[in-house]
Amino acid sequence: RRQRQMCIRDSIVDDSVFMRTILKDIISRDPEIEVLGTAVDGIDALAKIERLEPDIITLDIEMPRMNGIEVLQKLRRSPFAKKPKVLMLSSLTAEGGEMTLKAIRLGASDFLLKPTDLRKVRTIEEDVVGKIKHLVTLPDEIVKKPTPGTTSATRSDKADTLVLIGSSAGGPQMLDTLLSMFPANLGAGVVITQHMPVGFTRSLAERLDSLSALHVKEAAEGDQLHRGLALLAPGGHHLEFTHNGSAKLSLRPSVHGVRPAVDVTLTSLAEHFGDRCVAVIMTGMGRDGTNGAALIHLSLIHI
């Protein structure tokens, strides 16, 4: 038997014997993950979750007797001493899809699109293993403060200090880690610009909201900057702010080949908030964010 430096306990839930076999082989190859068992549908899954107490389950959506959405609903209400994190693995969980949003709202931890051509399942091996390892690093329970207003800031909750985060390729998992570390009493507003196309940022915002003590939402026209609130630039739109902290969405041409662009958001906030901003540029390629971060830096050294 192989030596395991750490042991992540995983279970696989899928009605396809082919998928269960391939996934078990893929996941078991990693010496840090132990596959405790497999389940053929939701009813079978709940019984085995209660008995085996896995850290993670990979969960299909379309299954007989009880589907994956119903499993999430049952888990949410269950008295289990230990509830696993859930990686949705289905042909129905394309990012931004309604089924994905529903799964996240019901407690799914992450999602991965299953190849429609089952002969290509092994192409997702790195993603499956990577997501499983990432999920066990995230906190199990999040305690949130009451939801701050998002249309009219009051004197008590208006953000006087801002944390500005820009990221690109590889960003979503890094955002998971960073935002899960922020306390509910951070005392600052947060603005995030992640390179993503239209339709993808809504599910990302809901996922981050489920992981963070802060409230995270996809930014809308007129949203205000509040302490304890993180606004995520919507895919396909630049996100800017007025002098009073009101969000403006723009369809102006791409900058650095992307929209939303980090530089657009940072430049806007540097102009109006200057030395009250902290800029964080994370993973990715290219130069987007360089100019905006320089403007933030200049505002700090000229106070």
Side-chain angles (χ1 to χ4, degrees), residues 7 62 79 92 133 156 164 180 198 223 294:
C7 184
E62 292 185 295
L92 299 180
K133 288 185 170 184
S156 62
L164 319 174
S180 69
V198 176
D223 278 351

Side-chain angles (χ1 to χ4, degrees), residues 146-160:
T147 304
T150 56
T151 55
S152 59
T154 64
R155 183 173 298 176
S156 62
D157 67 4
K158 187 173 181 179
D160 297 316

Side-chain angles (χ1 to χ4, degrees), residues 1-151:
R1 186 179 175 85
R2 291 175 296 178
Q3 286 280 50
R4 298 176 184 266
Q5 295 178 337
M6 63 178 288
C7 184
I8 302 168
R9 296 156 57 87
D10 176 81
S11 291
I12 298 164
V13 185
D14 201 295
D15 64 320
S16 163
V17 64
F18 174 79
M19 281 300 300
R20 293 197 303 273
T21 303
I22 295 296
L23 286 173
K24 183 175 182 179
D25 180 63
I26 285 174
I27 297 169
S28 297
R29 287 173 181 269
D30 192 284
E32 296 180 350
I33 307 174
E34 179 182 5
V35 177
L36 299 178
T38 62
V40 300
D41 58 36
I43 293 175
D44 187 24
L46 290 172
K48 289 178 177 175
I49 289 169
E50 184 175 20
R51 178 167 56 87
L52 299 174
E53 297 188 338
D55 303 307
I56 305 281
I57 64 169
T58 62
L59 180 62
D60 190 16
I61 289 182
E62 292 185 295
M63 297 182 294
R65 297 207 299 168
M66 183 186 291
N67 64 35
I69 295 298
E70 292 170 318
V71 170
L72 290 171
Q73 291 170 333
K74 295 284 188 182
L75 278 175
R76 197 174 193 179
R77 300 192 297 264
S78 76
F80 295 168
K82 178 179 179 180
K83 296 182 182 180
K85 293 187 171 72
V86 179
L87 173 60
M88 302 303 296
L89 183 58
S90 169
S91 57
L92 299 180
T93 52
E95 290 185 81
E98 286 303 315
M99 198 63 75
T100 299
L101 291 171
K102 187 171 185 178
I104 290 172
R105 289 167 184 162
L106 288 170
S109 305
D110 204 348
F111 46 84
L112 186 62
L113 188 62
K114 184 192 297 182
T116 53
D117 184 347
L118 294 183
R119 294 171 298 180
K120 297 181 179 179
V121 170
R122 289 191 180 275
T123 63
I124 64 171
E125 177 173 354
E126 184 176 343
D127 287 335
V128 171
V129 171
K131 283 180 179 289
I132 288 172
K133 288 185 170 184
H134 173 65
L135 289 179
V136 297
T137 69
L138 300 178
D140 292 320
E141 295 186 9
I142 298 296
V143 178
K144 288 183 180 287
K145 294 176 68 176
T147 304
T150 56
T151 55

Side-chain angles (χ1 to χ4, degrees), residues 134 138 165 167-181 194 208 282-283:
H134 173 65
L138 300 178
I165 303 171
S167 56
S168 185
Q173 284 198 351
M174 296 300 100
L175 289 172
D176 283 356
T177 300
L178 182 59
L179 266 71
S180 69
M181 296 170 66
Q194 163 71 48
L208 292 173
M282 301 206 300
T283 178

